[in-house]
Amino acid sequence: PFLDPIPSLPALYTSIGFSIFTFMATLYLVPTLGPTFVKAHLSGRDLLKVYATQIPESLGLVCASVYILALTLFIPFAFSDSLTIGSTRTPEGIFVSEFPHSRLSVYLSSLLSLLIATILGFLDDVFDIRWRHKLPIPIIASIPLLMVYYAERGNTHIVVPLPLRFLLGSLLNLGPLYYLYMSLLSTFATNSINILAGINGSEVSQALIIAISVILNDLLYLPWPIGFHLPVHLLGSNAEVEFGGVWSAGMAYGSKELVERHLFSLYFMLPLVAVCSGFMYHNWYPARVFPGDTLCYVTGMAFAVVGIQAHFSKTLLLFFLPQIFNFVLSCPQLFGLVPCPRHRVPRFDADTNLLHPSKAIFLKPPSKLAATVLRILSIFKMVVLTVHPSGVILETTNLTILNFFLVRLGPMNEKRLVQVLMCCQIGGSVLAFSVRYGLAGLVYDG
Ligand code: UD1
Ligand code: MG
C-alpha cells in the first residue's frame, strides 16, 4: 500500500551499469597514470617497507575524477522520469514547470561540494597544508549543501529519547545548531579518514566498508515488490526521515520522498564502491600506489553529502565508530597536549617484518593535565608509557587506533593490521545497524 507513485527504479539499474564502468576505468587508469604522478613529484616512500622505491601518491585524484565524471554523466539518467514532464497552467494563466528543480539542486550542490573536497585534498597533497588550516575548509565546502537543505525546508528537529521526554518534550528544535552540526559533520567525515591512515589499504578499505554500509541501509527503504518489509515504526522512528519539521509516523514506508532520498544516496554510493574496489586492488599490501589526502577528502565528503541530503546523518555517524574512537583518542596529540610527530604510523621492524606501536617522545616533562590523561589511558591499556624512576613520563605510544591494536593484540605484520582494522570497521557497522534498528525501538516510540 504505497502512498504515492514510487519513483522509477530503472535509473538505479543505469547507476549499477555506470558503476561497473567506473570500476573498470579505475582498475585500468590507476596503474597507467601512476608513472605520470611520479614524474610530477607526487610520490612518497612506503614507511613500513625495507625498500625505498618512490610509490606514486595522490592517485585519489584519479579516483575522484572518475567518480565525479561518472556522477556528471549520470545526471540525465537520474532525472529520466522527469524529462518528459511539461508545464501546467495555473488558474491565473502562469505556466509552472513540474520539473523537480529542488531535486536537481540537491544533486548539483552535492557535486559542487565533492569538487571543493577534491581541490582541497589535492592542494593538501601538493603543499602539505597544516591541519589546523585545513580544518575549516570542508565547512565552507558544505555551505552549498546546507543552503539546499534550508531551501528544502529541511528538518532541524531531533526526536528526544523516551527517558528525557519529561524534560525536553518529544521533539526538540535545534534550529541553527543543527546547521552547525551538519557543517561539522563534513569536517569530521573528511579529516577522520585522513588521520586513520598510513598502512597499505587503510584509507580505501574504511571508505569501502562505510559506503557498503550506507548502501545496505538505503536498500531497506526501497519499495521491494515482495516480502522483507521493516516495521514502519523503525523506519519512521527517526526525525530525520520525516519532512517539513512535523513529527508523525505519517512518513510511512514506501513514501515517495523517502524512496527518492535513498535513491539519491544510492546514486552517489554505488560508483563510490566501484571506485574504491578498483583502487583497493592496487593499494592492497604491498601497495603499488598511495591514495593521498585527495581520496580521504573526496570519500569523506561523499558520505557527508548523502548523510545530509538524504537526511540520515545520525545513522551515518554510527558507521564512523572506529573513526570516532580514533579521533577522540587522538585529541591530546591533535590539540597539542602531547607532542605529535609528523607521522604516527606504527614502527616497522625490518628483521621480523612486524609492526610495533610507535612512540611520541617528551622533550620537556608533560603538563599535569597531559600526565593525568596519559595515566588514565594507560590504566585502560590504550597506551604504554615509559616512565622515569622519578615518575616523570618520558615517552608514550602514539594515540591512534592502529597503535592501540598493536598495544592490545601484540606486534603483527602490516597486512594483518589492515585486516584487523577492516574487521573493526565491519563490526562497527553491525553494531550501528543493531543500534539504529534494534535499540532505537527501545528508546524511541513508533
Ligand atoms: C596523517 C596522519 C599521520 C600519518 C599519515 C600517514 C595524523 C594527525 N596524521 O597525516 O600521523 O602518519 O597520515 O598517511 O594522524 N604512507 C605509507 N603507507 C601507506 C600510506 C601512506 O607509508 O599505506 C606514507 C607515505 O610515505 C606517504 C605518506 O604516508 O607519502 C602520506 O602521508 P600524508 O597523507 O601526507 O599524511 P597526513 O595526512 O598529513
Ligand atoms: Mg593523508
Side-chain angles (χ1 to χ4, degrees):
F2 300 130
L3 308 176
D4 279 307
I6 293 303
S8 60
L9 293 184
L12 186 60
Y13 301 125
T14 316
S15 174
I16 295 173
F18 264 74
S19 303
I20 295 172
F21 276 109
T22 318
F23 170 72
M24 293 194 298
T26 314
L27 206 56
Y28 170 74
L29 284 176
V30 165
T32 313
L33 294 176
T36 325
F37 279 70
V38 179
K39 235 189 250 165
H41 303 290
L42 288 165
S43 59
R45 181 179 175 267
D46 198 325
L47 301 169
L48 308 178
K49 301 288 184 301
V50 277
Y51 49 84
T53 342
Q54 287 296 306
I55 311 271
E57 178 135 21
S58 326
L59 264 291
L61 184 65
V62 176
C63 300
S65 310
V66 173
Y67 179 51
I68 291 172
L69 187 70
L71 286 176
T72 309
L73 289 174
F74 184 69
I75 297 176
F77 298 93
F79 295 92
S80 53
D81 55 346
S82 314
L83 290 179
T84 47
I85 288 178
S87 47
T88 47
R89 204 171 164 175
T90 63
E92 295 81 38
I94 303 166
F95 284 99
V96 184
S97 156
E98 281 174 4
F99 187 85
H101 287 284
S102 61
R103 257 208 293 150
L104 183 62
S105 63
V106 166
Y107 199 108
L108 295 181
S109 64
S110 305
L111 271 185
L112 186 58
S113 293
L114 285 175
L115 278 169
I116 300 178
T118 308
I119 298 178
L120 171 66
F122 193 61
L123 288 180
D124 194 10
D125 277 330
V126 177
F127 297 111
D128 257 329
I129 307 175
R130 292 255 190 86
W131 84 270
R132 63 174 162 286
H133 294 156
K134 64 196 183 194
L135 263 194
I137 303 182
I139 299 183
I140 298 168
S142 69
I143 289 177
L145 301 178
L146 301 187
M147 197 62 222
V148 171
Y149 191 85
Y150 181 80
E152 265 212 329
R153 297 190 301 123
N155 178 39
T156 54
H157 292 72
I158 52 166
V159 179
V160 179
L162 291 173
L164 295 177
R165 291 221 175 140
F166 73 96
L167 210 64
L168 302 167
S170 58
L171 258 193
L172 185 65
N173 188 4
L174 293 184
L177 281 183
Y178 200 84
Y179 285 87
L180 182 70
Y181 150 73
M182 287 189 293
S183 60
L184 291 180
L185 180 76
S186 64
T187 302
F188 175 75
T190 45
N191 286 294
S192 66
I193 298 184
N194 191 22
I195 63 171
L196 211 177
I199 60 170
N200 295 174
S202 54
E203 297 93 329
V204 69
S205 60
Q206 295 168 60
L208 183 65
I209 296 167
I210 297 173
I212 293 175
S213 311
V214 172
I215 289 178
L216 291 178
N217 183 57
D218 288 331
L219 291 180
L220 295 177
Y221 294 80
L222 291 195
W224 295 99
I226 31 151
F228 170 65
H229 286 181
L230 269 185
V232 169
H233 81 275
L234 279 185
L235 295 180
S237 69
N238 192 327
E240 293 173 56
V241 302
E242 46 75 54
F243 197 58
V246 190
W247 164 249
S248 73
M251 191 77 187
Y253 172 78
S255 116
K256 191 172 172 226
E257 300 292 344
L258 200 53
V259 175
E260 262 173 5
R261 281 187 207 148
H262 286 277
L263 273 178
F264 162 85
S265 168
L266 283 170
Y267 298 157
F268 276 69
M269 286 297 115
L270 288 170
L272 190 69
V273 165
V275 166
C276 288
S277 351
F279 183 76
M280 192 157 161
Y281 178 78
H282 302 292
N283 184 229
W284 190 250
Y285 179 92
R288 278 81 67 206
V289 290
F290 287 149
D293 298 325
T294 318
L295 188 90
C296 306
Y297 281 68
V298 169
T299 52
M301 188 52 92
F303 298 132
V305 159
V306 295
I308 293 171
Q309 304 279 42
H311 304 207
F312 61 88
S313 57
K314 281 165 272 162
T315 309
L316 178 77
L317 267 182
L318 285 176
F319 295 138
F320 274 79
L321 290 176
Q323 286 72 20
I324 294 173
F325 178 86
N326 186 56
F327 172 73
V328 173
L329 185 61
S330 296
C331 279
Q333 285 193 305
L334 296 179
F335 296 106
L337 215 51
V338 171
C340 184
R342 170 69 183 83
H343 283 292
R344 300 192 296 162
V345 287
R347 180 173 63 78
F348 174 60
D349 179 2
D351 297 330
T352 55
N353 198 29
L354 293 179
L355 300 183
H356 298 261
S358 60
K359 289 179 176 164
I361 300 164
F362 286 95
L363 296 175
K364 53 181 200 290
S367 65
K368 265 215 179 90
L369 179 62
T372 317
V373 170
L374 288 175
R375 289 232 158 79
I376 295 172
L377 288 174
S378 100
I379 292 173
F380 290 101
K381 293 218 176 61
M382 307 272 209
V383 294
V384 174
L385 305 177
T386 316
V387 186
H388 190 264
S390 68
V392 179
I393 299 175
L394 300 175
E395 287 176 343
T396 169
T397 51
N398 280 311
L399 306 169
T400 66
I401 194 172
L402 295 177
N403 287 307
F404 165 75
F405 288 144
L406 294 169
V407 165
R408 280 292 172 104
L409 305 173
M412 59 183 104
N413 65 36
E414 191 176 355
K415 193 161 137 192
R416 178 49 54 88
L417 186 57
V418 78
Q419 285 166 343
V420 169
L421 176 66
M422 289 172 74
C423 289
C424 169
Q425 190 82 49
I426 295 171
S429 286
V430 172
L431 186 67
F433 275 106
S434 35
V435 168
R436 171 65 184 86
Y437 297 104
L439 287 187
L442 296 179
V443 285
Y444 298 106
D445 53 9

